Coordinates of all heavy atoms in Angstrom, one line a residue:
N59 N 0.9 -1.2 0.0 CA 0.0 0.0 0.0 C 0.9 1.2 0.0 O 0.6 2.2 -0.7 CB -0.9 0.0 1.2 CG -2.0 -1.0 1.2 OD1 -2.4 -1.5 0.1 ND2 -2.6 -1.4 2.3
K60 N 1.9 1.3 0.8 CA 2.8 2.4 0.9 C 3.5 2.7 -0.5 O 3.5 3.8 -0.9 CB 3.9 2.2 1.9 CG 3.4 2.4 3.4 CD 4.5 2.1 4.4 CE 3.9 2.2 5.8 NZ 4.9 1.8 6.8
K61 N 3.9 1.6 -1.1 CA 4.6 1.8 -2.4 C 3.6 2.3 -3.5 O 3.9 3.2 -4.2 CB 5.1 0.4 -2.9 CG 5.9 0.4 -4.2 CD 7.1 1.3 -4.1 CE 7.8 1.2 -5.5 NZ 8.9 2.2 -5.5
I62 N 2.3 1.7 -3.5 CA 1.3 2.2 -4.5 C 1.0 3.6 -4.2 O 0.9 4.4 -5.2 CB 0.1 1.2 -4.4 CG1 0.4 -0.2 -4.8 CG2 -1.1 1.8 -5.1 CD1 -0.6 -1.2 -4.6
C63 N 0.8 4.0 -3.0 CA 0.5 5.4 -2.7 C 1.6 6.3 -3.1 O 1.4 7.4 -3.6 CB 0.1 5.6 -1.2 SG -1.5 4.9 -0.7
S64 N 2.9 5.9 -2.8 CA 4.0 6.7 -3.2 C 4.1 6.9 -4.7 O 4.3 8.0 -5.2 CB 5.3 6.0 -2.7 OG 6.4 6.7 -3.2
L65 N 3.8 5.8 -5.5 CA 3.8 5.9 -7.0 C 2.7 6.8 -7.4 O 3.0 7.7 -8.3 CB 3.7 4.5 -7.6 CG 4.9 3.6 -7.5 CD1 4.5 2.2 -7.9 CD2 6.0 4.1 -8.4
C66 N 1.6 6.7 -6.9 CA 0.4 7.6 -7.2 C 0.8 9.0 -7.0 O 0.5 9.9 -7.8 CB -0.8 7.1 -6.5 SG -2.3 8.0 -7.1
A67 N 1.3 9.3 -5.8 CA 1.6 10.7 -5.4 C 2.6 11.3 -6.3 O 2.7 12.5 -6.5 CB 2.0 10.7 -3.9
S68 N 3.5 10.5 -6.9 CA 4.6 11.0 -7.7 C 4.1 11.3 -9.2 O 4.8 12.0 -9.9 CB 5.7 10.0 -7.8 OG 5.3 8.9 -8.6
L69 N 2.9 10.9 -9.6 CA 2.4 11.1 -10.9 C 2.0 12.6 -11.1 O 1.4 13.2 -10.3 CB 1.2 10.2 -11.2 CG 1.3 8.8 -11.2 CD1 0.0 8.1 -11.4 CD2 2.3 8.4 -12.4
A70 N 2.4 13.1 -12.3 CA 2.0 14.5 -12.6 C 0.5 14.7 -12.5 O 0.0 15.7 -12.0 CB 2.6 14.9 -13.9
V71 N -0.3 13.7 -13.0 CA -1.7 13.9 -13.0 C -2.2 14.0 -11.6 O -3.3 14.7 -11.4 CB -2.5 12.8 -13.8 CG1 -2.2 12.9 -15.3 CG2 -2.2 11.4 -13.3
F72 N -1.6 13.4 -10.7 CA -2.0 13.5 -9.3 C -1.5 14.8 -8.6 O -2.2 15.5 -8.1 CB -1.6 12.3 -8.5 CG -2.1 12.3 -7.0 CD1 -3.4 11.7 -6.8 CD2 -1.4 12.9 -6.0 CE1 -3.9 11.7 -5.5 CE2 -1.9 12.9 -4.7 CZ -3.2 12.3 -4.4
R73 N -0.2 15.0 -8.9 CA 0.4 16.2 -8.3 C -0.3 17.5 -8.7 O -0.5 18.4 -7.9 CB 1.9 16.3 -8.6 CG 2.7 15.3 -7.9 CD 4.2 15.6 -8.0 NE 4.7 16.4 -9.1 CZ 5.2 15.8 -10.2 NH1 5.3 14.5 -10.3 NH2 5.6 16.5 -11.2
F74 N -0.7 17.6 -10.0 CA -1.3 18.8 -10.5 C -2.8 18.8 -10.5 O -3.4 19.7 -10.9 CB -0.7 19.1 -11.9 CG 0.7 19.4 -11.9 CD1 1.6 18.6 -12.4 CD2 1.2 20.5 -11.2 CE1 3.0 18.8 -12.4 CE2 2.6 20.8 -11.2 CZ 3.5 19.9 -11.8
A75 N -3.4 17.7 -10.0 CA -4.9 17.7 -9.9 C -5.4 18.7 -8.9 O -4.8 18.9 -7.9 CB -5.3 16.3 -9.5
Q76 N -6.4 19.3 -9.3 CA -7.1 20.3 -8.4 C -8.1 19.6 -7.6 O -8.4 20.0 -6.4 CB -7.9 21.4 -9.3 CG -6.9 22.2 -10.1 CD -7.7 23.0 -11.2 OE1 -8.2 22.4 -12.1 NE2 -7.8 24.3 -10.9
A77 N -8.7 18.4 -8.1 CA -9.6 17.6 -7.4 C -9.2 16.2 -7.4 O -8.8 15.7 -8.4 CB -11.0 17.8 -8.0
V78 N -9.4 15.5 -6.3 CA -9.1 14.1 -6.1 C -10.3 13.4 -5.6 O -10.8 13.7 -4.5 CB -7.9 13.9 -5.1 CG1 -7.6 12.4 -5.0 CG2 -6.6 14.6 -5.6
L79 N -10.7 12.4 -6.4 CA -11.9 11.6 -6.0 C -11.3 10.3 -5.6 O -10.6 9.6 -6.4 CB -12.9 11.4 -7.2 CG -13.7 12.6 -7.5 CD1 -12.9 13.8 -8.1 CD2 -14.8 12.2 -8.5
L80 N -11.6 9.8 -4.4 CA -11.0 8.5 -4.0 C -12.0 7.8 -3.1 O -13.2 8.2 -3.0 CB -9.6 8.8 -3.3 CG -9.4 9.9 -2.3 CD1 -10.1 9.8 -1.1 CD2 -7.9 10.1 -2.1
Y81 N -11.6 6.7 -2.6 CA -12.5 5.8 -1.8 C -11.9 5.6 -0.5 O -10.7 5.8 -0.2 CB -12.7 4.5 -2.6 CG -11.4 3.7 -2.8 CD1 -11.0 2.8 -1.9 CD2 -10.6 4.0 -3.9 CE1 -9.8 2.1 -2.1 CE2 -9.4 3.3 -4.1 CZ -9.0 2.3 -3.2 OH -7.8 1.7 -3.4
H82 N -12.7 5.1 0.5 CA -12.2 4.7 1.7 C -12.2 3.1 1.7 O -13.1 2.5 1.3 CB -13.2 5.1 2.9 CG -12.6 5.0 4.2 ND1 -12.4 3.9 4.9 CD2 -12.0 6.0 5.0 CE1 -11.9 4.1 6.1 NE2 -11.6 5.4 6.1
P83 N -11.0 2.5 1.9 CA -10.9 1.1 1.7 C -11.7 0.2 2.6 O -12.0 0.5 3.7 CB -9.4 0.8 2.0 CG -9.0 1.9 3.0 CD -9.8 3.1 2.6
I84 N -12.2 -0.9 1.9 CA -12.9 -1.9 2.6 C -12.2 -3.3 2.4 O -11.5 -3.4 1.4 CB -14.4 -2.0 2.2 CG1 -14.6 -2.3 0.7 CG2 -15.2 -0.8 2.7 CD1 -16.0 -2.6 0.3
R85 N -12.5 -4.2 3.3 CA -11.9 -5.5 3.1 C -10.3 -5.4 3.0 O -9.7 -4.7 3.7 CB -12.6 -6.3 2.0 CG -14.0 -6.5 2.3 CD -14.7 -7.4 1.2 NE -16.1 -7.1 1.2 CZ -16.8 -6.7 0.1 NH1 -16.1 -6.4 -1.1 NH2 -18.0 -6.4 0.1
S86 N -9.8 -6.0 1.9 CA -8.4 -6.0 1.7 C -8.0 -5.1 0.5 O -7.0 -5.3 -0.2 CB -7.9 -7.4 1.5 OG -8.6 -8.1 0.4
E87 N -8.8 -4.0 0.2 CA -8.5 -3.1 -0.9 C -7.3 -2.3 -0.6 O -6.9 -2.2 0.6 CB -9.7 -2.1 -1.1 CG -10.9 -2.7 -1.7 CD -12.1 -1.7 -1.8 OE1 -12.0 -0.7 -1.1 OE2 -13.0 -2.0 -2.6
V88 N -6.6 -1.8 -1.6 CA -5.5 -0.9 -1.5 C -5.9 0.3 -0.6 O -6.9 0.9 -0.9 CB -5.0 -0.5 -2.9 CG1 -3.8 0.6 -2.7 CG2 -4.4 -1.6 -3.7
D89 N -5.1 0.5 0.4 CA -5.5 1.6 1.4 C -4.9 2.9 0.9 O -3.7 3.1 0.9 CB -4.9 1.2 2.7 CG -5.3 2.1 3.9 OD1 -5.9 3.2 3.6 OD2 -5.1 1.8 5.0
V90 N -5.8 3.8 0.5 CA -5.5 5.1 -0.1 C -5.6 6.2 1.0 O -5.5 7.4 0.6 CB -6.3 5.4 -1.3 CG1 -6.0 4.4 -2.4 CG2 -7.8 5.4 -1.0
R91 N -5.8 5.9 2.3 CA -5.9 7.0 3.2 C -4.8 7.9 3.3 O -5.0 9.1 3.5 CB -6.3 6.3 4.6 CG -7.7 5.8 4.7 CD -8.1 5.1 5.9 NE -7.4 3.9 6.0 CZ -7.5 3.0 7.0 NH1 -8.3 3.3 8.0 NH2 -6.8 1.9 7.1
P92 N -3.5 7.4 3.1 CA -2.4 8.4 3.1 C -2.6 9.5 1.9 O -2.2 10.6 2.1 CB -1.2 7.6 2.8 CG -1.6 6.3 3.4 CD -3.0 6.1 3.1
L93 N -3.2 9.1 0.8 CA -3.4 10.0 -0.3 C -4.5 10.9 0.0 O -4.5 12.1 -0.4 CB -3.7 9.2 -1.6 CG -2.6 8.4 -2.1 CD1 -3.0 7.5 -3.3 CD2 -1.4 9.3 -2.6
L94 N -5.5 10.5 0.8 CA -6.6 11.4 1.3 C -6.0 12.5 2.1 O -6.2 13.6 1.9 CB -7.6 10.5 2.1 CG -8.6 11.3 2.9 CD1 -9.7 12.0 2.0 CD2 -9.3 10.4 3.9
E95 N -5.2 12.1 3.1 CA -4.5 13.0 4.0 C -3.6 14.0 3.2 O -3.6 15.2 3.4 CB -3.6 12.3 5.0 CG -4.4 11.4 5.9 CD -5.2 12.1 7.1 OE1 -5.0 13.3 7.2 OE2 -5.9 11.5 7.8
M96 N -2.8 13.5 2.3 CA -1.9 14.3 1.5 C -2.7 15.3 0.6 O -2.4 16.5 0.6 CB -1.1 13.4 0.5 CG -0.2 14.2 -0.4 SD 0.6 13.1 -1.6 CE 1.5 12.0 -0.6
A97 N -3.8 14.9 0.0 CA -4.6 15.7 -0.9 C -5.2 16.9 0.0 O -5.2 18.0 -0.5 CB -5.6 15.0 -1.6
L98 N -5.7 16.5 1.1 CA -6.3 17.6 2.0 C -5.2 18.5 2.5 O -5.4 19.7 2.5 CB -6.9 16.9 3.2 CG -8.3 16.2 3.0 CD1 -8.7 15.4 4.2 CD2 -9.3 17.2 2.6
A99 N -4.0 18.0 2.8 CA -2.9 18.9 3.3 C -2.4 19.8 2.2 O -2.0 21.0 2.4 CB -1.7 18.0 3.8

């Protein structure tokens, strides 16, 4: 999850996005909560 979030955060489309639509993980889904926190920050 940490590696996937790091790769996502490094993408230009993510870095320069004005809006981020994401999900809150359930079961064993990839946990994107760090990206939620980062986007809010």
Side-chain angles (χ1 to χ4, degrees):
N59 290 339
K60 285 180 185 173
K61 181 64 176 173
I62 291 168
C63 287
S64 175
L65 286 167
C66 186
S68 72
L69 294 173
V71 291
F72 186 88
R73 287 194 333 263
F74 296 112
Q76 296 165 292
V78 177
L79 287 67
L80 40 71
Y81 60 92
H82 198 280
I84 58 170
R85 303 183 198 119
S86 52
E87 288 176 342
V88 173
D89 188 346
V90 295
R91 287 176 290 184
L93 294 172
L94 167 74
E95 298 280 355
M96 177 187 299
L98 287 170

